[in-house]
Amino acid sequence: SSYQNIVVETRGRVGLITLNRPKALNALNSQTMEEVVAAARAFDREPGIGAILLSGSEKAFAAGADIKEMSSQAYSEMYLADWFAHWDNFTRVRTPTIAAVSGYALGGGCELAMMCDVLIAADTAQFGQPEIDLGVLPGMGGSQRLTRAVGKAKAMDMILTGRRMDAAEAERSGLVSRVVAADELADKAFEVAETISTRSLVASLAAKEAVNAAFETTLDQGVLFERRVFHAAFATEDQKEGMSAFAEKRKAEFKHR
Ligand code: HXC
């Protein structure tokens, strides 16, 4: 492939994106994030892909945005380039995304993981927003997504002191959904991605939209959105197949339409 800082492969219905800048602990420079967004969007357009699994290395999911790339930027340069705005496009991907986090997920690395729909952590994972130590603050959603994930008390604590959260605290606090042994992370995370990918694609995409609506709207509007989309699911072949399979006591074979 034409990517320099990531490795991209397809396994069954799962699209795999692996951050691959080992010498910089997967620090996210512009090139790397452009590649991540491009690869995720390409998978999103492929009807044969039902889940996207994003991983780093054993030592680091990603140690942050690239400090060396940023350090000499002036305000006007950052503002005019709208620095980090492009990264948001990762959250516009409709296919479910799974982050497999081992080792450091700091700053932009933590923020990228939080942009994923499902977070699975190795017991070695360390989450943090240490930007305060650099004289700045989170810049790609950390102050918003961490606060929504773990609440104000822990978000303020982490963002103002720069302290890290280990995997156990991250699970306790609702930042990640599962913690697994480090040497099992790749297999377990793939299993989760594969499970998601084999379900009805229309249902998965709609379910992701519905959950995300919970962050953007009132309860009443969110419940209404869910109900409308639920009704619409009855226009799909997969709904007929899923419910017939249940009645016939067999495994559903979704056609993903
Ligand atoms: C650029 C980085 C980097 C980063 C690590 N490296 N993190 N380069 N940007 N974020 C590079 C190091 O410079 C070093 O390169 C190599 O990776 C290995 O790192 P070491 O520090 O030697 O490893 P270690 O001693 O094991 O320490 C690991 C670490 C430490 C604790 C993760 O690297 C660290 O504190 N990194 C910075 C974490 C951080 O502050 N992240 C937030 C970034 S700001 P050389 O060439 O020296 O060998 C951000 C938010 C953006 O993400 C929002 C606005 C700023």
Side-chain angles (χ1 to χ4, degrees), residues 201-240:
L201 189 58
V202 178
S204 312
L205 266 56
K208 169 170 173 170
E209 264 190 80
V211 173
N212 280 333
F215 293 97
E216 304 291 349
T217 189
T218 61
L219 179 60
D220 206 43
Q221 286 299 305
V223 170
L224 178 63
F225 176 78
E226 179 196 75
R227 194 184 313 127
R228 293 288 179 254
V229 178
F230 176 78
H231 294 160
F234 286 74
T236 65
E237 291 179 36
D238 284 344
Q239 175 270 327
K240 297 289 174 283

PDB file of all heavy atoms in Angstrom, residues 201-240:
ATOM      1  N   LEU A 201     -25.124  -5.292   8.701  1.00  0.00           N
ATOM      2  CA  LEU A 201     -24.412  -4.015   8.596  1.00  0.00           C
ATOM      3  C   LEU A 201     -25.363  -2.837   8.783  1.00  0.00           C
ATOM      4  O   LEU A 201     -25.020  -1.853   9.437  1.00  0.00           O
ATOM      5  CB  LEU A 201     -23.695  -3.938   7.242  1.00  0.00           C
ATOM      6  CG  LEU A 201     -22.734  -2.767   7.035  1.00  0.00           C
ATOM      7  CD1 LEU A 201     -21.642  -2.742   8.090  1.00  0.00           C
ATOM      8  CD2 LEU A 201     -22.112  -2.828   5.633  1.00  0.00           C
ATOM      9  N   VAL A 202     -26.563  -2.945   8.205  1.00  0.00           N
ATOM     10  CA  VAL A 202     -27.529  -1.849   8.369  1.00  0.00           C
ATOM     11  C   VAL A 202     -27.851  -1.670   9.851  1.00  0.00           C
ATOM     12  O   VAL A 202     -27.882  -0.555  10.369  1.00  0.00           O
ATOM     13  CB  VAL A 202     -28.827  -2.117   7.572  1.00  0.00           C
ATOM     14  CG1 VAL A 202     -29.837  -0.995   7.807  1.00  0.00           C
ATOM     15  CG2 VAL A 202     -28.528  -2.244   6.090  1.00  0.00           C
ATOM     16  N   ALA A 203     -28.066  -2.784  10.544  1.00  0.00           N
ATOM     17  CA  ALA A 203     -28.398  -2.705  11.968  1.00  0.00           C
ATOM     18  C   ALA A 203     -27.232  -2.121  12.776  1.00  0.00           C
ATOM     19  O   ALA A 203     -27.437  -1.293  13.668  1.00  0.00           O
ATOM     20  CB  ALA A 203     -28.782  -4.089  12.496  1.00  0.00           C
ATOM     21  N   SER A 204     -26.006  -2.540  12.479  1.00  0.00           N
ATOM     22  CA  SER A 204     -24.845  -2.019  13.230  1.00  0.00           C
ATOM     23  C   SER A 204     -24.667  -0.523  13.019  1.00  0.00           C
ATOM     24  O   SER A 204     -24.415   0.218  13.971  1.00  0.00           O
ATOM     25  CB  SER A 204     -23.536  -2.667  12.796  1.00  0.00           C
ATOM     26  OG  SER A 204     -23.640  -4.029  12.724  1.00  0.00           O
ATOM     27  N   LEU A 205     -24.743  -0.094  11.753  1.00  0.00           N
ATOM     28  CA  LEU A 205     -24.553   1.327  11.475  1.00  0.00           C
ATOM     29  C   LEU A 205     -25.644   2.153  12.145  1.00  0.00           C
ATOM     30  O   LEU A 205     -25.369   3.211  12.722  1.00  0.00           O
ATOM     31  CB  LEU A 205     -24.530   1.590   9.959  1.00  0.00           C
ATOM     32  CG  LEU A 205     -23.145   1.608   9.293  1.00  0.00           C
ATOM     33  CD1 LEU A 205     -22.378   0.326   9.532  1.00  0.00           C
ATOM     34  CD2 LEU A 205     -23.262   1.886   7.797  1.00  0.00           C
ATOM     35  N   ALA A 206     -26.871   1.638  12.098  1.00  0.00           N
ATOM     36  CA  ALA A 206     -27.988   2.359  12.706  1.00  0.00           C
ATOM     37  C   ALA A 206     -27.836   2.382  14.228  1.00  0.00           C
ATOM     38  O   ALA A 206     -28.110   3.395  14.881  1.00  0.00           O
ATOM     39  CB  ALA A 206     -29.310   1.716  12.301  1.00  0.00           C
ATOM     40  N   ALA A 207     -27.389   1.278  14.804  1.00  0.00           N
ATOM     41  CA  ALA A 207     -27.198   1.206  16.257  1.00  0.00           C
ATOM     42  C   ALA A 207     -26.126   2.198  16.701  1.00  0.00           C
ATOM     43  O   ALA A 207     -26.268   2.889  17.720  1.00  0.00           O
ATOM     44  CB  ALA A 207     -26.821  -0.216  16.675  1.00  0.00           C
ATOM     45  N   LYS A 208     -25.034   2.273  15.933  1.00  0.00           N
ATOM     46  CA  LYS A 208     -23.973   3.238  16.249  1.00  0.00           C
ATOM     47  C   LYS A 208     -24.518   4.663  16.194  1.00  0.00           C
ATOM     48  O   LYS A 208     -24.262   5.471  17.094  1.00  0.00           O
ATOM     49  CB  LYS A 208     -22.808   3.064  15.274  1.00  0.00           C
ATOM     50  CG  LYS A 208     -21.754   4.176  15.313  1.00  0.00           C
ATOM     51  CD  LYS A 208     -20.508   3.845  14.509  1.00  0.00           C
ATOM     52  CE  LYS A 208     -19.568   5.054  14.426  1.00  0.00           C
ATOM     53  NZ  LYS A 208     -18.251   4.732  13.863  1.00  0.00           N
ATOM     54  N   GLU A 209     -25.305   4.955  15.164  1.00  0.00           N
ATOM     55  CA  GLU A 209     -25.901   6.296  15.047  1.00  0.00           C
ATOM     56  C   GLU A 209     -26.797   6.595  16.236  1.00  0.00           C
ATOM     57  O   GLU A 209     -26.812   7.712  16.752  1.00  0.00           O
ATOM     58  CB  GLU A 209     -26.752   6.381  13.778  1.00  0.00           C
ATOM     59  CG  GLU A 209     -26.051   6.979  12.593  1.00  0.00           C
ATOM     60  CD  GLU A 209     -27.031   7.259  11.459  1.00  0.00           C
ATOM     61  OE1 GLU A 209     -27.729   8.284  11.521  1.00  0.00           O
ATOM     62  OE2 GLU A 209     -27.095   6.434  10.521  1.00  0.00           O
ATOM     63  N   ALA A 210     -27.563   5.585  16.653  1.00  0.00           N
ATOM     64  CA  ALA A 210     -28.517   5.791  17.746  1.00  0.00           C
ATOM     65  C   ALA A 210     -27.777   6.048  19.061  1.00  0.00           C
ATOM     66  O   ALA A 210     -28.129   6.959  19.817  1.00  0.00           O
ATOM     67  CB  ALA A 210     -29.450   4.589  17.872  1.00  0.00           C
ATOM     68  N   VAL A 211     -26.740   5.266  19.345  1.00  0.00           N
ATOM     69  CA  VAL A 211     -25.980   5.488  20.586  1.00  0.00           C
ATOM     70  C   VAL A 211     -25.337   6.877  20.547  1.00  0.00           C
ATOM     71  O   VAL A 211     -25.389   7.629  21.523  1.00  0.00           O
ATOM     72  CB  VAL A 211     -24.907   4.395  20.803  1.00  0.00           C
ATOM     73  CG1 VAL A 211     -24.025   4.745  22.002  1.00  0.00           C
ATOM     74  CG2 VAL A 211     -25.566   3.036  21.007  1.00  0.00           C
ATOM     75  N   ASN A 212     -24.749   7.235  19.407  1.00  0.00           N
ATOM     76  CA  ASN A 212     -24.116   8.547  19.311  1.00  0.00           C
ATOM     77  C   ASN A 212     -25.115   9.686  19.472  1.00  0.00           C
ATOM     78  O   ASN A 212     -24.756  10.756  19.965  1.00  0.00           O
ATOM     79  CB  ASN A 212     -23.356   8.681  17.988  1.00  0.00           C
ATOM     80  CG  ASN A 212     -22.005   7.985  18.059  1.00  0.00           C
ATOM     81  OD1 ASN A 212     -21.428   7.848  19.137  1.00  0.00           O
ATOM     82  ND2 ASN A 212     -21.494   7.533  16.927  1.00  0.00           N
ATOM     83  N   ALA A 213     -26.370   9.438  19.102  1.00  0.00           N
ATOM     84  CA  ALA A 213     -27.401  10.474  19.265  1.00  0.00           C
ATOM     85  C   ALA A 213     -27.574  10.818  20.742  1.00  0.00           C
ATOM     86  O   ALA A 213     -27.952  11.938  21.091  1.00  0.00           O
ATOM     87  CB  ALA A 213     -28.722  10.013  18.658  1.00  0.00           C
ATOM     88  N   ALA A 214     -27.270   9.857  21.621  1.00  0.00           N
ATOM     89  CA  ALA A 214     -27.395  10.090  23.060  1.00  0.00           C
ATOM     90  C   ALA A 214     -26.478  11.227  23.532  1.00  0.00           C
ATOM     91  O   ALA A 214     -26.718  11.841  24.559  1.00  0.00           O
ATOM     92  CB  ALA A 214     -27.079   8.820  23.840  1.00  0.00           C
ATOM     93  N   PHE A 215     -25.405  11.478  22.775  1.00  0.00           N
ATOM     94  CA  PHE A 215     -24.462  12.532  23.162  1.00  0.00           C
ATOM     95  C   PHE A 215     -24.800  13.874  22.540  1.00  0.00           C
ATOM     96  O   PHE A 215     -24.181  14.873  22.840  1.00  0.00           O
ATOM     97  CB  PHE A 215     -23.034  12.132  22.763  1.00  0.00           C
ATOM     98  CG  PHE A 215     -22.526  10.967  23.550  1.00  0.00           C
ATOM     99  CD1 PHE A 215     -22.598   9.686  23.042  1.00  0.00           C
ATOM    100  CD2 PHE A 215     -21.999  11.160  24.818  1.00  0.00           C
ATOM    101  CE1 PHE A 215     -22.142   8.608  23.773  1.00  0.00           C
ATOM    102  CE2 PHE A 215     -21.540  10.077  25.555  1.00  0.00           C
ATOM    103  CZ  PHE A 215     -21.613   8.807  25.037  1.00  0.00           C
ATOM    104  N   GLU A 216     -25.727  13.877  21.602  1.00  0.00           N
ATOM    105  CA  GLU A 216     -25.954  15.088  20.817  1.00  0.00           C
ATOM    106  C   GLU A 216     -27.333  15.684  21.016  1.00  0.00           C
ATOM    107  O   GLU A 216     -27.636  16.733  20.475  1.00  0.00           O
ATOM    108  CB  GLU A 216     -25.764  14.789  19.316  1.00  0.00           C
ATOM    109  CG  GLU A 216     -24.411  14.184  18.953  1.00  0.00           C
ATOM    110  CD  GLU A 216     -23.246  15.164  19.108  1.00  0.00           C
ATOM    111  OE1 GLU A 216     -23.488  16.365  19.301  1.00  0.00           O
ATOM    112  OE2 GLU A 216     -22.092  14.693  19.054  1.00  0.00           O
ATOM    113  N   THR A 217     -28.237  14.975  21.730  1.00  0.00           N
ATOM    114  CA  THR A 217     -29.606  15.446  21.742  1.00  0.00           C
ATOM    115  C   THR A 217     -30.285  15.167  23.086  1.00  0.00           C
ATOM    116  O   THR A 217     -29.690  14.583  23.986  1.00  0.00           O
ATOM    117  CB  THR A 217     -30.365  14.796  20.558  1.00  0.00           C
ATOM    118  OG1 THR A 217     -31.640  15.411  20.449  1.00  0.00           O
ATOM    119  CG2 THR A 217     -30.554  13.310  20.743  1.00  0.00           C
ATOM    120  N   THR A 218     -31.544  15.571  23.221  1.00  0.00           N
ATOM    121  CA  THR A 218     -32.293  15.325  24.457  1.00  0.00           C
ATOM    122  C   THR A 218     -32.756  13.867  24.491  1.00  0.00           C
ATOM    123  O   THR A 218     -32.763  13.185  23.463  1.00  0.00           O
ATOM    124  CB  THR A 218     -33.548  16.212  24.519  1.00  0.00           C
ATOM    125  OG1 THR A 218     -34.378  15.868  23.397  1.00  0.00           O
ATOM    126  CG2 THR A 218     -33.193  17.694  24.455  1.00  0.00           C
ATOM    127  N   LEU A 219     -33.171  13.403  25.677  1.00  0.00           N
ATOM    128  CA  LEU A 219     -33.648  12.024  25.817  1.00  0.00           C
ATOM    129  C   LEU A 219     -34.847  11.777  24.900  1.00  0.00           C
ATOM    130  O   LEU A 219     -34.906  10.774  24.187  1.00  0.00           O
ATOM    131  CB  LEU A 219     -34.019  11.753  27.278  1.00  0.00           C
ATOM    132  CG  LEU A 219     -34.568  10.359  27.584  1.00  0.00           C
ATOM    133  CD1 LEU A 219     -33.565   9.266  27.227  1.00  0.00           C
ATOM    134  CD2 LEU A 219     -34.960  10.243  29.055  1.00  0.00           C
ATOM    135  N   ASP A 220     -35.775  12.719  24.902  1.00  0.00           N
ATOM    136  CA  ASP A 220     -36.987  12.576  24.113  1.00  0.00           C
ATOM    137  C   ASP A 220     -36.662  12.458  22.615  1.00  0.00           C
ATOM    138  O   ASP A 220     -37.167  11.569  21.921  1.00  0.00           O
ATOM    139  CB  ASP A 220     -37.851  13.822  24.365  1.00  0.00           C
ATOM    140  CG  ASP A 220     -39.311  13.532  24.155  1.00  0.00           C
ATOM    141  OD1 ASP A 220     -39.757  12.459  24.609  1.00  0.00           O
ATOM    142  OD2 ASP A 220     -39.995  14.372  23.541  1.00  0.00           O
ATOM    143  N   GLN A 221     -35.810  13.334  22.131  1.00  0.00           N
ATOM    144  CA  GLN A 221     -35.428  13.324  20.718  1.00  0.00           C
ATOM    145  C   GLN A 221     -34.622  12.076  20.387  1.00  0.00           C
ATOM    146  O   GLN A 221     -34.774  11.487  19.312  1.00  0.00           O
ATOM    147  CB  GLN A 221     -34.602  14.566  20.375  1.00  0.00           C
ATOM    148  CG  GLN A 221     -35.423  15.840  20.295  1.00  0.00           C
ATOM    149  CD  GLN A 221     -36.497  15.767  19.219  1.00  0.00           C
ATOM    150  OE1 GLN A 221     -36.211  15.494  18.065  1.00  0.00           O
ATOM    151  NE2 GLN A 221     -37.751  15.977  19.616  1.00  0.00           N
ATOM    152  N   GLY A 222     -33.770  11.660  21.322  1.00  0.00           N
ATOM    153  CA  GLY A 222     -32.948  10.474  21.101  1.00  0.00           C
ATOM    154  C   GLY A 222     -33.798   9.221  21.013  1.00  0.00           C
ATOM    155  O   GLY A 222     -33.591   8.363  20.154  1.00  0.00           O
ATOM    156  N   VAL A 223     -34.776   9.123  21.901  1.00  0.00           N
ATOM    157  CA  VAL A 223     -35.663   7.955  21.909  1.00  0.00           C
ATOM    158  C   VAL A 223     -36.523   7.940  20.630  1.00  0.00           C
ATOM    159  O   VAL A 223     -36.747   6.888  20.032  1.00  0.00           O
ATOM    160  CB  VAL A 223     -36.539   7.944  23.188  1.00  0.00           C
ATOM    161  CG1 VAL A 223     -37.631   6.881  23.093  1.00  0.00           C
ATOM    162  CG2 VAL A 223     -35.669   7.682  24.412  1.00  0.00           C
ATOM    163  N   LEU A 224     -36.945   9.131  20.204  1.00  0.00           N
ATOM    164  CA  LEU A 224     -37.720   9.217  18.960  1.00  0.00           C
ATOM    165  C   LEU A 224     -36.861   8.778  17.771  1.00  0.00           C
ATOM    166  O   LEU A 224     -37.305   7.994  16.922  1.00  0.00           O
ATOM    167  CB  LEU A 224     -38.227  10.654  18.746  1.00  0.00           C
ATOM    168  CG  LEU A 224     -39.014  10.892  17.449  1.00  0.00           C
ATOM    169  CD1 LEU A 224     -40.304  10.064  17.427  1.00  0.00           C
ATOM    170  CD2 LEU A 224     -39.339  12.380  17.290  1.00  0.00           C
ATOM    171  N   PHE A 225     -35.614   9.255  17.727  1.00  0.00           N
ATOM    172  CA  PHE A 225     -34.694   8.861  16.649  1.00  0.00           C
ATOM    173  C   PHE A 225     -34.545   7.347  16.629  1.00  0.00           C
ATOM    174  O   PHE A 225     -34.643   6.702  15.584  1.00  0.00           O
ATOM    175  CB  PHE A 225     -33.329   9.528  16.840  1.00  0.00           C
ATOM    176  CG  PHE A 225     -32.300   9.104  15.827  1.00  0.00           C
ATOM    177  CD1 PHE A 225     -32.314   9.628  14.548  1.00  0.00           C
ATOM    178  CD2 PHE A 225     -31.328   8.153  16.146  1.00  0.00           C
ATOM    179  CE1 PHE A 225     -31.378   9.225  13.601  1.00  0.00           C
ATOM    180  CE2 PHE A 225     -30.396   7.741  15.206  1.00  0.00           C
ATOM    181  CZ  PHE A 225     -30.422   8.282  13.926  1.00  0.00           C
ATOM    182  N   GLU A 226     -34.327   6.769  17.816  1.00  0.00           N
ATOM    183  CA  GLU A 226     -34.163   5.317  17.914  1.00  0.00           C
ATOM    184  C   GLU A 226     -35.397   4.596  17.363  1.00  0.00           C
ATOM    185  O   GLU A 226     -35.285   3.638  16.594  1.00  0.00           O
ATOM    186  CB  GLU A 226     -33.935   4.913  19.372  1.00  0.00           C
ATOM    187  CG  GLU A 226     -33.780   3.411  19.573  1.00  0.00           C
ATOM    188  CD  GLU A 226     -33.936   3.007  21.028  1.00  0.00           C
ATOM    189  OE1 GLU A 226     -35.091   3.004  21.521  1.00  0.00           O
ATOM    190  OE2 GLU A 226     -32.919   2.708  21.676  1.00  0.00           O
ATOM    191  N   ARG A 227     -36.582   5.053  17.773  1.00  0.00           N
ATOM    192  CA  ARG A 227     -37.809   4.361  17.360  1.00  0.00           C
ATOM    193  C   ARG A 227     -37.991   4.411  15.844  1.00  0.00           C
ATOM    194  O   ARG A 227     -38.341   3.424  15.209  1.00  0.00           O
ATOM    195  CB  ARG A 227     -39.016   4.964  18.082  1.00  0.00           C
ATOM    196  CG  ARG A 227     -40.267   4.084  17.979  1.00  0.00           C
ATOM    197  CD  ARG A 227     -41.495   4.745  18.610  1.00  0.00           C
ATOM    198  NE  ARG A 227     -41.191   5.301  19.917  1.00  0.00           N
ATOM    199  CZ  ARG A 227     -41.438   6.564  20.283  1.00  0.00           C
ATOM    200  NH1 ARG A 227     -42.017   7.422  19.451  1.00  0.00           N
ATOM    201  NH2 ARG A 227     -41.123   6.965  21.486  1.00  0.00           N
ATOM    202  N   ARG A 228     -37.734   5.585  15.258  1.00  0.00           N
ATOM    203  CA  ARG A 228     -37.863   5.725  13.793  1.00  0.00           C
ATOM    204  C   ARG A 228     -36.909   4.774  13.079  1.00  0.00           C
ATOM    205  O   ARG A 228     -37.273   4.138  12.097  1.00  0.00           O
ATOM    206  CB  ARG A 228     -37.578   7.163  13.376  1.00  0.00           C
ATOM    207  CG  ARG A 228     -38.597   8.174  13.857  1.00  0.00           C
ATOM    208  CD  ARG A 228     -39.924   8.048  13.116  1.00  0.00           C
ATOM    209  NE  ARG A 228     -40.891   9.010  13.604  1.00  0.00           N
ATOM    210  CZ  ARG A 228     -41.949   8.706  14.389  1.00  0.00           C
ATOM    211  NH1 ARG A 228     -42.166   7.450  14.748  1.00  0.00           N
ATOM    212  NH2 ARG A 228     -42.753   9.637  14.793  1.00  0.00           N
ATOM    213  N   VAL A 229     -35.667   4.719  13.570  1.00  0.00           N
ATOM    214  CA  VAL A 229     -34.672   3.862  12.918  1.00  0.00           C
ATOM    215  C   VAL A 229     -35.016   2.389  13.157  1.00  0.00           C
ATOM    216  O   VAL A 229     -34.818   1.542  12.283  1.00  0.00           O
ATOM    217  CB  VAL A 229     -33.247   4.210  13.417  1.00  0.00           C
ATOM    218  CG1 VAL A 229     -32.212   3.291  12.794  1.00  0.00           C
ATOM    219  CG2 VAL A 229     -32.910   5.660  13.087  1.00  0.00           C
ATOM    220  N   PHE A 230     -35.562   2.103  14.336  1.00  0.00           N
ATOM    221  CA  PHE A 230     -36.003   0.732  14.630  1.00  0.00           C
ATOM    222  C   PHE A 230     -37.093   0.305  13.640  1.00  0.00           C
ATOM    223  O   PHE A 230     -37.029  -0.785  13.062  1.00  0.00           O
ATOM    224  CB  PHE A 230     -36.531   0.654  16.071  1.00  0.00           C
ATOM    225  CG  PHE A 230     -37.095  -0.688  16.448  1.00  0.00           C
ATOM    226  CD1 PHE A 230     -36.263  -1.744  16.771  1.00  0.00           C
ATOM    227  CD2 PHE A 230     -38.474  -0.894  16.466  1.00  0.00           C
ATOM    228  CE1 PHE A 230     -36.786  -2.991  17.106  1.00  0.00           C
ATOM    229  CE2 PHE A 230     -39.003  -2.136  16.800  1.00  0.00           C
ATOM    230  CZ  PHE A 230     -38.158  -3.187  17.117  1.00  0.00           C
ATOM    231  N   HIS A 231     -38.070   1.178  13.419  1.00  0.00           N
ATOM    232  CA  HIS A 231     -39.116   0.868  12.428  1.00  0.00           C
ATOM    233  C   HIS A 231     -38.489   0.594  11.065  1.00  0.00           C
ATOM    234  O   HIS A 231     -38.855  -0.356  10.365  1.00  0.00           O
ATOM    235  CB  HIS A 231     -40.103   2.035  12.302  1.00  0.00           C
ATOM    236  CG  HIS A 231     -40.916   2.280  13.543  1.00  0.00           C
ATOM    237  ND1 HIS A 231     -41.543   3.479  13.802  1.00  0.00           N
ATOM    238  CD2 HIS A 231     -41.175   1.493  14.615  1.00  0.00           C
ATOM    239  CE1 HIS A 231     -42.167   3.412  14.963  1.00  0.00           C
ATOM    240  NE2 HIS A 231     -41.950   2.209  15.485  1.00  0.00           N
ATOM    241  N   ALA A 232     -37.536   1.436  10.693  1.00  0.00           N
ATOM    242  CA  ALA A 232     -36.905   1.322   9.372  1.00  0.00           C
ATOM    243  C   ALA A 232     -36.184  -0.013   9.209  1.00  0.00           C
ATOM    244  O   ALA A 232     -36.084  -0.539   8.095  1.00  0.00           O
ATOM    245  CB  ALA A 232     -35.934   2.482   9.157  1.00  0.00           C
ATOM    246  N   ALA A 233     -35.699  -0.573  10.314  1.00  0.00           N
ATOM    247  CA  ALA A 233     -34.978  -1.853  10.230  1.00  0.00           C
ATOM    248  C   ALA A 233     -35.874  -2.948   9.647  1.00  0.00           C
ATOM    249  O   ALA A 233     -35.383  -3.930   9.076  1.00  0.00           O
ATOM    250  CB  ALA A 233     -34.460  -2.259  11.606  1.00  0.00           C
ATOM    251  N   PHE A 234     -37.193  -2.744   9.768  1.00  0.00           N
ATOM    252  CA  PHE A 234     -38.124  -3.759   9.245  1.00  0.00           C
ATOM    253  C   PHE A 234     -38.252  -3.714   7.733  1.00  0.00           C
ATOM    254  O   PHE A 234     -38.940  -4.536   7.137  1.00  0.00           O
ATOM    255  CB  PHE A 234     -39.489  -3.628   9.956  1.00  0.00           C
ATOM    256  CG  PHE A 234     -39.418  -4.154  11.359  1.00  0.00           C
ATOM    257  CD1 PHE A 234     -38.763  -3.440  12.359  1.00  0.00           C
ATOM    258  CD2 PHE A 234     -39.931  -5.404  11.676  1.00  0.00           C
ATOM    259  CE1 PHE A 234     -38.647  -3.955  13.640  1.00  0.00           C
ATOM    260  CE2 PHE A 234     -39.812  -5.925  12.957  1.00  0.00           C
ATOM    261  CZ  PHE A 234     -39.164  -5.193  13.943  1.00  0.00           C
ATOM    262  N   ALA A 235     -37.556  -2.771   7.104  1.00  0.00           N
ATOM    263  CA  ALA A 235     -37.507  -2.735   5.641  1.00  0.00           C
ATOM    264  C   ALA A 235     -36.319  -3.532   5.115  1.00  0.00           C
ATOM    265  O   ALA A 235     -36.115  -3.625   3.912  1.00  0.00           O
ATOM    266  CB  ALA A 235     -37.426  -1.286   5.163  1.00  0.00           C
ATOM    267  N   THR A 236     -35.503  -4.111   6.024  1.00  0.00           N
ATOM    268  CA  THR A 236     -34.293  -4.793   5.558  1.00  0.00           C
ATOM    269  C   THR A 236     -34.494  -6.307   5.460  1.00  0.00           C
ATOM    270  O   THR A 236     -35.306  -6.887   6.189  1.00  0.00           O
ATOM    271  CB  THR A 236     -33.097  -4.540   6.516  1.00  0.00           C
ATOM    272  OG1 THR A 236     -33.377  -5.143   7.792  1.00  0.00           O
ATOM    273  CG2 THR A 236     -32.835  -3.060   6.686  1.00  0.00           C
ATOM    274  N   GLU A 237     -33.746  -6.919   4.553  1.00  0.00           N
ATOM    275  CA  GLU A 237     -33.750  -8.377   4.442  1.00  0.00           C
ATOM    276  C   GLU A 237     -33.171  -9.000   5.706  1.00  0.00           C
ATOM    277  O   GLU A 237     -33.565 -10.092   6.110  1.00  0.00           O
ATOM    278  CB  GLU A 237     -32.881  -8.819   3.257  1.00  0.00           C
ATOM    279  CG  GLU A 237     -33.464  -8.459   1.909  1.00  0.00           C
ATOM    280  CD  GLU A 237     -32.556  -8.907   0.768  1.00  0.00           C
ATOM    281  OE1 GLU A 237     -31.921  -9.984   0.885  1.00  0.00           O
ATOM    282  OE2 GLU A 237     -32.484  -8.171  -0.228  1.00  0.00           O
ATOM    283  N   ASP A 238     -32.220  -8.305   6.304  1.00  0.00           N
ATOM    284  CA  ASP A 238     -31.553  -8.862   7.485  1.00  0.00           C
ATOM    285  C   ASP A 238     -32.502  -9.008   8.671  1.00  0.00           C
ATOM    286  O   ASP A 238     -32.375  -9.936   9.468  1.00  0.00           O
ATOM    287  CB  ASP A 238     -30.342  -8.003   7.865  1.00  0.00           C
ATOM    288  CG  ASP A 238     -29.156  -8.248   6.934  1.00  0.00           C
ATOM    289  OD1 ASP A 238     -29.173  -9.275   6.215  1.00  0.00           O
ATOM    290  OD2 ASP A 238     -28.233  -7.423   6.932  1.00  0.00           O
ATOM    291  N   GLN A 239     -33.469  -8.100   8.794  1.00  0.00           N
ATOM    292  CA  GLN A 239     -34.462  -8.241   9.876  1.00  0.00           C
ATOM    293  C   GLN A 239     -35.289  -9.499   9.657  1.00  0.00           C
ATOM    294  O   GLN A 239     -35.521 -10.282  10.589  1.00  0.00           O
ATOM    295  CB  GLN A 239     -35.353  -6.990   9.945  1.00  0.00           C
ATOM    296  CG  GLN A 239     -36.511  -7.083  10.951  1.00  0.00           C
ATOM    297  CD  GLN A 239     -37.798  -7.669  10.339  1.00  0.00           C
ATOM    298  OE1 GLN A 239     -38.076  -7.460   9.150  1.00  0.00           O
ATOM    299  NE2 GLN A 239     -38.557  -8.411  11.131  1.00  0.00           N
ATOM    300  N   LYS A 240     -35.722  -9.731   8.409  1.00  0.00           N
ATOM    301  CA  LYS A 240     -36.529 -10.924   8.115  1.00  0.00           C
ATOM    302  C   LYS A 240     -35.696 -12.180   8.407  1.00  0.00           C
ATOM    303  O   LYS A 240     -36.164 -13.136   9.021  1.00  0.00           O
ATOM    304  CB  LYS A 240     -36.985 -10.925   6.650  1.00  0.00           C
ATOM    305  CG  LYS A 240     -37.914  -9.750   6.292  1.00  0.00           C
ATOM    306  CD  LYS A 240     -39.298  -9.889   6.927  1.00  0.00           C
ATOM    307  CE  LYS A 240     -40.184  -8.665   6.700  1.00  0.00           C
ATOM    308  NZ  LYS A 240     -39.865  -7.507   7.567  1.00  0.00           N
TER     309      LYS A 240
END
